[in-house]
Amino acid sequence: MIKRISFLIIYFSFTFLFAQQSQKEYPRDYFGSPLDIPLSYAGNFCELRGNHFHAGLDIKTDGKQGQNVYATADGYISCIRVSTYGYGKVIYIDHPNGYTTVYAHLQKFAPEIEKYVKENQYKAEKYEIELQPKPTDFVVKKGDLIALSGNTGGSAGPHVHYEIRDTHTQNAYNPFLFGYPCDDDISPLVFKVIAYPLEDTSAIEGKQTKKELYLAKEKTAYHTAKIYAQGKIGLGIQAIDKMTGTYNTYGIYKVTMSVNGSPKLSYTFDELVSGEDPYLNTFIDYPLFTKVGSRIQLLYKEPYNKLSIYSLAQDNGVIDIEEGFTYLIEIEVEDFNHNKATITIPIEGKKEAITERNLENKGIPLVANRDNMYKTDQASVFFPENTFFHDTFIEVQQKGDTLSVNAPIQPLQKQYNVVFNATKYTSEELPYVCIASVRGKKAKKYYQNTYRKGNILTSRVKTLGKFVLTTDKQAPTVKALNFSKAKNNIAKLDKLKVSVTDNFSGIGKYTATINGKWVLMEYEHKENLLFFTLADKYFTEEEEYLFELTVADKVGNQTTLSIPLVYKP
């Protein structure tokens, strides 16, 4: 039960003080369970996800929605967000010991919170909203019901995403450090080891290209055959973890690499520093990931890798192989319960003629720490400073209607601008023109968010490749699912459900009214579904009702659905 009180000064007087203190010791008995079922996990802390580290635990909810979600400690609700993507419906609770807990992908909030959120949604006349209640508005005790579990936002299935953060810094911590159960007696599994020449004079087996090493396994011990190398090299591994009693796979917790018995590099996923997500792509073999989708964790630090996970990075983990010397590399891969897998790699320093070199860079030099602008006849590309992690080479060319922006495969830190002059289109066509990226062997077009000023169209993108101008004149398809003009008595319904789909740019905006007054439609994009909860509005038999829904795609094409409603209990 949520309790509202008018004072809370003493209760939180120590919050700022605790937030300033070192978080080396973690309270293991302070936080309880957010669910009243046994905890089992679909994902763990700092798993490698698309362009980010996973910042918490994904807690299973038996494959269904509607499980009770509880506050895991005393505190107050400091933030509530509702969004179509990302965390979906999410609650943040600040606690007096300096931590904040996060509960995401919720189906709905506890009644008092739900009422508060909907009041603000109706006031703002929008579904997506961020609210910051006063500390005295929603005070919770450990075990209070705060929500029901769901599948909202970017969730790929029903679960609760749960985080523990530092309230002051917003750094996220591994929840296992706080005593959450981790039933695991299975060692990590290693699938690949790759060796990388890192300089022009470096080589592996006489080649200046990366080399995947053959792995032999005996129980939890892996080893490779001896390799010959020269110069500065780095290593990378692909590994996962398993837990007892589940088929799920997880990210590994800790890696340590030693050279001839001397520790060289070590990192541990205890803490994710706020703002460091962009460096994920410097932590993996990004070109290989873009080609085949597998993430190789690099056991050396690129100079532009600013991650704080390393407890040791001697010479940035780079191994200098000298001719005539032998090296025994030992890599220890560990999970949170100290189950380990070991990898042994013998290397002999041998200078050989290099028979295969990396391809020469093409294009013109680009200096990363300054703005860079490139122009063609009908287009331009603007890279703000530090779009790239490091200096590189760039090619910007226009051939016909296609603008190509190419560089050696690498991650980007932030978005850049692609700009087209659309003067070739008539004034009648121009409202339907947008920018699209072109990908794949079939040259399929994908809509890019497009901003228009007169004949100039701009898109902010974070991938290199090909871009074109295209048109989108097809409006979204809108279809009532559980009500219609022919059968419109809605008295026995709890929701009005509408299917919404679009052929290209995607759903952009939508507005619904009943008798001209705005009503809240919730959008579940994974199901192409908009729905209105009838309990939000008081219906009587005496009135006639007209439901109108207008849905626009991201270019501006729109469709309006208009259906009269009858309410006869």
Side-chain angles (χ1 to χ4, degrees):
M1 174 69 72
I2 304 296
K3 295 181 180 179
R4 292 178 183 267
I5 64 174
S6 60
F7 62 93
L8 206 61
I9 299 173
I10 297 176
Y11 189 75
F12 292 105
S13 60
F14 295 104
T15 300
F16 182 77
L17 174 63
F18 274 87
Q20 298 300 309
Q21 294 176 350
S22 171
Q23 305 291 353
K24 297 298 183 182
E25 295 185 6
Y26 305 93
R28 295 184 60 83
D29 299 317
Y30 187 87
F31 294 104
S33 174
L35 298 173
D36 52 15
I37 58 175
L39 295 187
S40 179
Y41 311 109
N44 69 337
F45 183 73
C46 270
E47 280 183 349
L48 309 184
R49 301 286 180 90
N51 293 315
H52 71 280
F53 293 96
H54 189 236
L57 296 175
D58 281 346
I59 304 175
K60 296 181 182 181
T61 55
D62 292 338
K64 58 188 179 184
Q65 302 186 48
Q67 298 278 14
N68 288 345
V69 179
Y70 303 99
T72 56
D74 294 359
Y76 69 90
I77 295 177
S78 59
C79 183
I80 305 167
R81 289 196 184 107
V82 177
S83 53
T84 303
Y85 300 95
Y87 281 3
K89 296 182 179 181
V90 56
I91 286 177
Y92 299 75
I93 299 178
D94 287 3
H95 304 281
N97 65 344
Y99 291 101
T100 295
T101 50
V102 182
Y103 313 75
H105 306 308
L106 305 171
Q107 181 189 66
K108 63 188 303 184
F109 306 111
E112 289 186 49
I113 306 170
E114 184 81 4
K115 181 175 181 291
Y116 167 80
V117 171
K118 285 198 172 181
E119 284 175 353
N120 281 277
Q121 287 174 314
Y122 271 88
K123 184 178 179 180
E125 294 193 353
K126 62 180 182 179
Y127 171 63
E128 294 195 321
I129 198 165
E130 177 175 335
L131 303 170
Q132 295 177 332
K134 297 176 183 177
T136 54
D137 282 347
F138 295 106
V139 179
V140 296
K141 302 294 289 182
K142 185 175 184 177
D144 278 351
L145 176 70
I146 59 170
L148 298 180
S149 68
N151 187 32
T152 56
S155 171
H159 74 278
V160 173
H161 173 86
Y162 177 69
E163 297 179 20
I164 300 178
R165 299 182 181 181
D166 181 294
T167 302
H168 179 64
T169 65
Q170 289 301 296
N171 294 351
Y173 296 101
N174 191 332
F176 289 151
L177 295 167
F178 296 80
Y180 284 96
C182 178
D183 188 11
D184 185 0
D185 59 6
I186 304 173
S187 296
L189 301 174
V190 181
F191 297 110
K192 289 183 181 180
V193 176
I194 296 181
Y196 299 86
L198 299 179
E199 294 185 342
D200 290 342
T201 56
S202 304
I204 297 165
E205 307 288 357
K207 297 181 180 180
Q208 207 181 51
T209 54
K210 69 181 74 173
K211 179 178 177 63
E212 182 176 344
L213 309 184
Y214 174 77
L215 267 181
K217 178 186 178 184
E218 184 176 348
K219 295 184 178 179
T220 61
Y222 300 78
H223 65 271
T224 72
K226 180 191 290 186
I227 62 170
Y228 297 93
Q230 63 191 65
K232 294 181 177 180
I233 69 167
L235 296 171
I237 61 169
Q238 182 187 17
I240 62 165
D241 191 32
K242 302 281 287 182
M243 289 188 188
T244 306
T246 176
Y247 292 103
N248 293 86
T249 61
Y250 307 92
I252 55 179
Y253 172 65
K254 182 178 181 180
V255 176
T256 302
M257 181 178 70
S258 299
V259 179
N260 291 339
S262 178
K264 186 78 171 177
L265 178 134
S266 183
Y267 58 83
T268 307
F269 289 119
D270 281 334
E271 179 181 359
L272 177 60
V273 174
S274 178
E276 288 191 355
D277 268 335
Y279 299 111
L280 164 68
N281 289 324
T282 71
F283 174 71
I284 64 172
D285 182 339
Y286 184 79
L288 185 65
F289 170 67
T290 60
K291 289 180 180 178
V292 300
S294 62
R295 293 185 175 94
I296 304 296
Q297 302 184 27
L298 301 179
L299 305 187
Y300 61 94
K301 281 186 68 177
E302 297 283 10
Y304 38 87
N305 175 348
K306 303 292 180 61
L307 289 171
S308 304
I309 60 175
Y310 300 92
S311 57
L312 173 68
Q314 186 184 74
D315 301 321
N316 285 330
V318 175
I319 306 167
D320 196 353
I321 305 297
E322 298 184 34
E323 186 174 13
F325 289 84
T326 59
Y327 303 82
L328 184 64
I329 315 300
E330 293 177 301
I331 302 169
E332 191 174 80
V333 185
E334 187 174 344
D335 64 25
F336 189 83
N337 276 14
H338 307 296
N339 303 298
K340 298 177 182 179
T342 59
I343 311 164
T344 304
I345 307 166
I347 302 177
E348 182 175 330
K350 184 178 181 181
K351 193 169 184 178
E352 299 178 285
I354 298 176
T355 59
E356 186 175 332
R357 293 185 178 274
N358 285 323
L359 296 175
E360 294 292 328
N361 289 314
K362 294 181 179 180
I364 59 176
L366 179 147
V367 179
N369 64 356
R370 72 182 188 198
D371 294 345
N372 292 270
M373 170 74 83
Y374 303 89
K375 292 184 178 182
T376 66
D377 288 342
Q378 297 296 318
S380 64
V381 178
F382 173 68
F383 296 105
E385 63 176 330
N386 298 319
T387 299
F388 294 87
F389 285 100
H390 57 85
D391 293 353
T392 186
F393 291 83
I394 195 78
E395 283 186 306
V396 177
Q397 298 176 334
Q398 187 170 4
K399 187 175 181 180
D401 292 335
T402 302
L403 176 69
S404 297
V405 184
N406 294 314
I409 298 174
Q410 61 194 288
L412 303 183
Q413 286 200 75
K414 55 187 178 182
Q415 295 177 320
Y416 65 96
N417 293 341
V418 172
V419 183
F420 279 90
N421 188 326
T423 52
K424 72 174 187 177
Y425 292 92
T426 66
S427 57
E428 291 77 17
E429 292 175 314
L430 193 59
Y432 305 100
V433 179
C434 60
I435 298 173
S437 58
V438 182
R439 289 176 252 161
K441 294 181 180 180
K442 295 184 179 181
K444 186 175 179 179
K445 296 177 182 179
Y446 296 87
Y447 173 79
Q448 300 291 322
N449 284 328
T450 303
Y451 307 91
R452 182 181 291 104
K453 188 174 182 180
N455 293 325
I456 304 302
L457 276 62
T458 303
S459 182
R460 292 178 57 78
V461 299
K462 204 177 177 181
T463 56
L464 304 173
K466 296 180 179 180
F467 303 91
V468 296
L469 289 180
T470 189
T471 56
D472 178 8
K473 296 184 178 181
Q474 186 170 329
T477 299
V478 181
K479 181 181 179 181
L481 295 178
N482 64 343
F483 66 107
S484 67
K485 293 180 180 179
K487 188 179 180 181
N488 58 2
N489 183 10
I490 61 172
K492 294 183 179 181
L493 301 178
D494 62 341
K495 294 179 174 67
L496 300 183
K497 299 180 180 180
V498 180
S499 168
V500 290
T501 57
D502 188 67
N503 71 315
F504 182 61
S505 62
I507 304 301
K509 297 179 181 179
Y510 54 89
T511 300
T513 61
I514 293 180
N515 288 355
K517 293 184 178 180
W518 187 89
V519 293
L520 175 67
M521 298 292 290
E522 301 194 35
Y523 183 29
E524 180 43 75
H525 68 96
K526 296 184 290 294
E527 300 177 22
N528 298 318
L529 178 68
L530 281 169
F531 64 88
F532 163 67
T533 301
L534 267 68
D536 289 354
K537 180 176 176 58
Y538 180 73
F539 291 89
T540 66
E541 290 188 66
E542 289 72 26
E543 287 189 62
E544 293 183 354
Y545 300 96
L546 179 64
F547 172 83
E548 290 187 301
L549 171 66
T550 299
V551 181
D553 65 17
K554 293 178 182 177
V555 172
N557 303 295
Q558 66 181 38
T559 300
T560 297
L561 176 71
S562 182
I563 297 181
L565 305 177
V566 174
Y567 188 86
K568 292 183 178 181

